[in-house]
Amino acid sequence: MRDGVLLRADLYRPDTAEAVPVLIRRTPYGRAGSPGGASVDGLRLVRSGYALLVQDVRGRFASGGAFEPYWHEAADGADTVAWAVGQPWCDGSAGLFGRSYEGMAALLAAGERPAGLRAVAPHAAGSGFDEGWTRQGGAFQLGFVLYWVLYDLLLSGAGLTGPDLAEVAAAVDRIDELYADPDAAADLLDRLAPYYREWLRHPTGHPYWNRAAPRGSYPSINVPVLNLTGWYDIFLAGALENYQGIRRQGVETRLVVGPWSHCVTGGIFPQRRYGLAADERELDVTGLHLDHFDRHLRGRPAGAGTADPVRLFLTGADEWRAFPDWPVPGTEEYVLHLDGRRLTHGPAPSAAGSDVIRHDPADPVPTTGGATALPGQFTGGDCGPLDQRAVEGRDDVLCFTGAPLTAPLTVVGDTALTVYVTPDAAGADVTGKLVDVWPDGRAELLCDGIHRLAPRPEAAPEPRPEAAPEPEAPGAGGTPTPGRPVAVTVRLGAIGHVFRTGHRVRLEVAAGNTPRFDVHPRVVAHHTVHHGGAHPSRLLLPRLAGG
């Protein structure tokens, strides 16, 4: 690297004397195992005529230097491309690809515009390391971040031995206890992963995060980008932002969204099967990479099915559809009003109503599916389209349900809830879930979101000195004042879904989602949710015209 640090990599080459293009995957998870990672057949890339370079990022496994998540990936990635394209076995052209952190690293390197880089393919990659990775809607993503640091970053590749390694292994084994009391892991993390406390200290939007953010690289990215993600992927919003942000620069970019979570890629969840076409292997994700790199590194013609840049799997209909862009053209606002415990389409209800939610930090609303990355992520046991009926039976969860549909309703795009809340002085989390209720009663989760309201100044601070006060998350209607409702916008997430005839649309509103998000506030609190009259709380869906 430019500072003299040595990064190690494995090189796979076709059995030819000719110079060939190189594809580069830079990973913090170890270069051993499948060279293409979790979703790409790396040896197929080599058999197709590419050299494949798989590198341990700085400070991980065999590579030198100190690992500081995020900060070195732009420069190190650019230096790696420059080294690779200058080798005699390379024809001077390179592509970057990878999943999750690897995909983010690829985008950061692309923003450096290294000579010879011709295309990038980030898979399940976010747009920044603050909102959408460390936090969402102002809430700390405790479930994912704590497990990621302990299991993925410290348990392997960090060079720990002896008591340190044993202590991390014990922490992973008791992760559920740490979710309930995350402060119990503070000393361990301060000693072995000091960056974790820095993430707690710096809220969304703080300049701290600007050192490494793909969204900040959009104006500099000048090579075609293939974005792949899933409806239940924890980084879905970031992948969609990457597509839009890069496309606005006039750069060719494509988007594929399947019915996948971060680790479930076969379209089969414990409670839902989307069919054979939903499987990444059936879609041929490796083939998509080859078509992308063949076009831009070798100048070959595009493969079949590439006329439209956006390809979405519509759940409910359980089929792939092609579209000219994202957001999908031809959608219209479809507003459902919160009316008592109903969702109604039409004029806003004139009658005012309200409900009080009790928030108990000792018994928070439990995470039940959705775009999570928790310890059961590899089996889908805690993520994706889980049935919500058990959690809906709690007295701290409000359900608003529409009438049975008399025709299919196709929703494609970003969904949002605007709800009027009088929060407790200690602060509040406002969560929302969009649910498809089947005729047999199954309540299938489609997407969910959160918005954090900070305590009022006169309220006692939470006993968490390491966490700096967080500003209002984007979309808030104003600063809460004593006894007065505030309009809160909860971004529920993007979907491509068909509500079938006879199904019903349901909205859940609660004050938490734990352990996906940290508990807030840490005291018993009461929040009032208003609807109707002067406080027209509503659910906004992007309906596809004619659907």
Side-chain angles (χ1 to χ4, degrees):
M1 300 298 104
R2 64 190 66 177
D3 61 356
V5 170
L6 180 67
L7 305 189
R8 298 192 180 274
D10 290 338
L11 175 65
Y12 301 79
R13 289 173 50 198
D15 188 10
T16 177
E18 296 181 2
V20 296
V22 62
L23 302 180
I24 300 169
R25 172 177 160 252
R26 306 185 59 254
T27 181
Y29 305 121
R31 66 191 195 277
S34 173
S39 296
V40 174
D41 183 346
L43 296 184
R44 182 176 163 193
L45 300 179
V46 180
R47 289 193 297 270
S48 299
Y50 290 94
L52 174 59
L53 190 71
V54 185
Q55 182 186 69
D56 291 331
V57 302
R58 178 183 295 246
R60 298 291 290 168
F61 293 88
S63 284
F67 178 64
E68 296 179 272
Y70 322 139
W71 300 150
H72 298 286
E73 307 311 348
D76 286 355
D79 288 354
T80 300
V81 171
W83 176 87
V85 298
Q87 301 307 303
W89 43 261
C90 181
D91 69 357
S93 61
L96 288 163
F97 75 102
R99 246 182 157 275
S100 192
Y101 187 103
E102 303 165 355
M104 303 267 267
L107 287 170
L108 289 169
E112 298 288 300
R113 293 192 174 186
L117 183 65
R118 299 286 184 265
V120 183
H123 190 165
S127 56
F129 294 105
D130 50 357
E131 181 70 12
W133 183 283
T134 305
R135 284 180 171 78
Q136 181 175 328
F140 186 69
Q141 298 212 79
L142 174 69
F144 157 63
V145 177
L146 181 59
Y147 186 69
W148 178 55
V149 171
L150 289 173
Y151 182 78
D152 290 306
L153 299 186
L154 292 181
L155 197 59
S156 62
L160 301 181
T161 58
D164 286 344
L165 184 61
E167 189 175 358
V168 170
V172 171
D173 287 340
R174 60 188 181 96
I175 190 70
D176 288 337
E177 298 175 24
L178 296 181
Y179 283 152
D181 181 18
D183 291 340
D187 290 343
L188 171 67
L189 293 169
D190 284 349
R191 188 172 76 254
L192 303 179
Y195 43 80
Y196 186 91
R197 184 176 290 272
E198 291 300 305
W199 301 342
L200 287 172
R201 290 184 56 244
H202 294 95
T204 296
H206 192 282
Y208 168 85
W209 300 104
N210 295 340
R211 291 174 59 187
R215 65 171 65 94
S217 300
Y218 297 157
S220 300
I221 294 176
N222 62 349
V223 296
V225 179
L226 170 66
N227 301 276
L228 299 100
T229 188
W231 294 124
Y232 292 100
D233 194 280
I234 190 172
F235 308 130
L236 168 64
L240 296 174
E241 184 182 354
N242 288 337
Y243 169 83
Q244 295 175 77
I246 297 169
R247 190 170 177 81
R248 279 195 290 267
Q249 308 302 318
V251 175
E252 178 185 330
T253 180
R254 309 184 72 81
L255 174 67
V256 177
V257 187
W260 311 313
S261 70
H262 202 61
C263 292
V264 177
T265 60
I268 299 176
F269 293 86
Q271 299 177 6
R272 184 72 159 87
R273 303 172 68 92
Y274 290 104
L276 183 62
D279 195 323
E280 274 192 359
R281 292 171 296 182
E282 184 69 18
L283 179 65
D284 192 7
V285 165
T286 302
L288 293 177
H289 282 71
L290 282 171
D291 180 75
H292 181 64
F293 291 126
D294 282 350
R295 291 171 59 204
H296 302 296
L297 274 67
R298 290 172 157 166
R300 294 181 177 176
T306 58
D308 288 304
V310 175
R311 193 174 182 184
L312 310 176
F313 188 95
L314 297 189
T315 56
D318 294 358
E319 64 182 16
W320 288 98
R321 292 272 304 276
F323 296 95
D325 204 357
W326 179 278
V328 171
T331 59
E332 57 191 14
E333 290 188 354
Y334 185 77
V335 179
L336 292 170
H337 298 281
L338 281 62
D339 184 0
R341 291 301 182 91
R342 301 179 300 160
L343 287 177
T344 59
H345 179 58
S350 57
S354 64
D355 296 277
V356 176
I357 301 176
R358 182 177 187 270
H359 162 73
D360 184 352
D363 182 27
V365 177
T367 298
T368 308
T372 64
L374 298 173
Q377 60 186 306
F378 297 101
T379 62
D382 64 2
C383 65
L386 296 190
D387 192 339
Q388 300 297 296
R389 281 177 288 187
V391 76
E392 288 174 353
R394 294 174 58 103
D395 59 10
D396 52 1
V397 176
L398 304 177
C399 292
F400 303 86
T401 307
L405 294 168
T406 58
L409 171 65
T410 302
V411 180
V412 186
D414 291 304
T415 64
L417 164 67
T418 297
V419 60
Y420 287 84
V421 177
T422 302
D424 195 281
D429 279 348
V430 182
T431 67
K433 293 181 179 178
L434 179 60
V435 174
D436 182 347
V437 182
W438 293 50
D440 64 1
R442 168 177 163 77
E444 181 177 301
L445 176 60
L446 301 177
C447 59
D448 61 352
I450 190 168
H451 182 110
R452 176 156 294 179
L453 293 169
R456 294 202 299 268
E458 70 272 19
E462 292 188 82
R464 193 170 182 173
E466 75 275 14
E470 295 171 356
E472 289 295 310
T479 301
T481 54
R484 300 187 64 179
V486 59
V488 175
T489 296
V490 183
R491 293 168 177 159
L492 301 180
I495 64 170
H497 183 73
V498 178
F499 292 88
R500 299 177 184 174
T501 301
H503 289 224
R504 292 177 291 163
V505 180
R506 176 172 291 164
L507 171 72
E508 296 176 21
V509 179
N513 184 345
T514 303
R516 182 178 175 189
F517 304 107
D518 62 329
V519 173
H520 170 79
R522 292 192 178 185
V523 297
V524 173
H526 297 81
H527 319 306
T528 303
V529 176
H530 306 268
H531 39 84
H535 305 110
S537 297
R538 58 198 179 274
L539 172 66
L540 179 61
L541 305 178
R543 178 176 64 178
L544 191 63

